[in-house]
Amino acid sequence: MGLTTITNGSLADATVVNNNFDYLNGRITDTAASIGTHDAQISSQIETLDSRLTSSISTINATITNQVSTINATMTNLMSSNGLYVTTSFNTSTGEWYREYFSNSSKTTRVFLEQGGTYEATSGDAAKNNYNLVFQKKFSNNKFHFQRSVQIVADTGDISNRYVMYNNKKYDYVEESPSLGIQSYVVLDIAPYTTSHYFTWYACGI
């Protein structure tokens, strides 16, 4: 039953008026019930979304935690194998330097050592045979690499006026020296000052 139209200025029958009120009341009740149903559906959907978001966030957090653990493990392995904890020293007076690579932050486990320097002769120096070139840091075994540059004279002028000479280079590692330690220097021959003012050297190993 719908609303009954009451003509303007006419006397409305009580039954008609009551029926109209009953109809409106029924519509209001139905609308309120419908709104309640929609509210419940929306609340249910919000709970579902919240649950899914919580689950997704937990999954993402777990994934991130696993990835961080993997990255940390990878970095630890890289540090252990490549020695990413480094100590570097350079002597500005002598030009000697060294760099030590360690696998732990406390720098107790060395995985690589490199060092170098420049030998400078003094005017009037004679040739030096079996000269001990002492390292700043000793190597832990005799498997280290050592090399030196050609010996150079450059009294005047630019690089085009320089000339180089090789001496009879002889070098070898010396083991178990009581005064200097194991693998802590090499023995080599050095040309006199007249033919060699200086040379550079480099060594690396463990």
Side-chain angles (χ1 to χ4, degrees), residues 1 21 32 50 62 89 92 174 187 193:
M1 177 190 302
F21 277 125
D50 183 66
S89 174
T92 56
V174 177
V187 180
Y193 179 83

Side-chain angles (χ1 to χ4, degrees), residues 12 14 26 38-39 49 51 72 96-97 100 104 111 124 142 144 155 159 165 169 182 195 197 199-200 203:
H38 283 102
D39 284 346
L49 287 173
S51 176
N72 286 338
E96 289 189 337
W97 62 273
E100 295 180 285
N104 58 334
V111 296
N142 60 14
F144 65 86
D155 284 331
I159 194 169
M165 293 188 64
K169 295 191 292 183
I182 301 174
T195 58
H197 288 8
F199 63 85
T200 62

Side-chain angles (χ1 to χ4, degrees), residues 5-203:
T5 302
I6 300 173
T7 304
N8 233 0
S10 64
L11 185 62
D13 184 80
T15 302
V16 173
V17 174
N18 288 333
N19 286 340
N20 282 346
F21 277 125
D22 289 341
Y23 173 77
L24 291 173
N25 186 58
R27 292 298 302 272
I28 291 170
T29 301
D30 292 343
T31 301
S34 177
I35 292 173
T37 300
H38 283 102
D39 284 346
Q41 290 175 345
I42 292 172
S43 296
S44 176
Q45 291 174 347
I46 289 173
E47 289 178 2
T48 301
L49 287 173
D50 183 66
S51 176
R52 290 178 178 175
L53 283 173
T54 301
S55 177
S56 297
I57 291 171
S58 297
T59 301
I60 292 171
N61 286 340
T63 302
I64 292 174
T65 300
N66 290 336
Q67 290 176 341
V68 169
S69 297
T70 300
I71 291 171
N72 286 338
T74 301
M75 290 301 296
T76 299
N77 290 335
L78 285 173
M79 290 179 182
S80 297
S81 58
N82 296 299
L84 297 184
Y85 299 100
V86 181
T87 295
T88 300
S89 174
F90 184 85
N91 189 319
T92 56
S93 298
T94 65
E96 289 189 337
W97 62 273
Y98 67 82
R99 185 177 292 116
E100 295 180 285
Y101 300 82
F102 300 89
S103 62
N104 58 334
S105 59
S106 58
K107 297 183 179 181
T108 57
T109 305
R110 191 177 68 195
V111 296
F112 190 66
L113 165 65
E114 58 179 348
Q115 55 190 314
T118 300
Y119 174 88
E120 294 191 29
T122 301
S123 178
D125 280 355
K128 297 179 182 179
N129 296 320
N130 298 319
Y131 175 80
N132 293 339
L133 192 153
V134 181
F135 301 141
Q136 290 191 82
K137 293 284 183 177
K138 69 178 182 179
F139 293 99
S140 60
N141 59 48
N142 60 14
K143 305 301 181 184
F144 65 86
H145 166 79
F146 175 82
Q147 68 181 48
R148 70 174 180 180
S149 69
V150 294
Q151 301 184 181
I152 300 172
V153 173
D155 284 331
T156 60
D158 59 23
I159 194 169
S160 63
N161 293 321
R162 297 184 181 190
Y163 63 93
V164 298
M165 293 188 64
Y166 285 95
N167 185 38
N168 177 26
K169 295 191 292 183
K170 178 183 70 177
Y171 48 85
D172 195 4
Y173 63 86
V174 177
E175 296 187 52
E176 299 180 359
S177 167
S179 59
L180 297 174
I182 301 174
Q183 288 86 48
S184 62
Y185 65 93
V186 293
V187 180
L188 61 161
D189 293 340
I190 299 176
Y193 179 83
T194 54
T195 58
S196 173
H197 288 8
Y198 71 92
F199 63 85
T200 62
W201 62 271
Y202 172 82

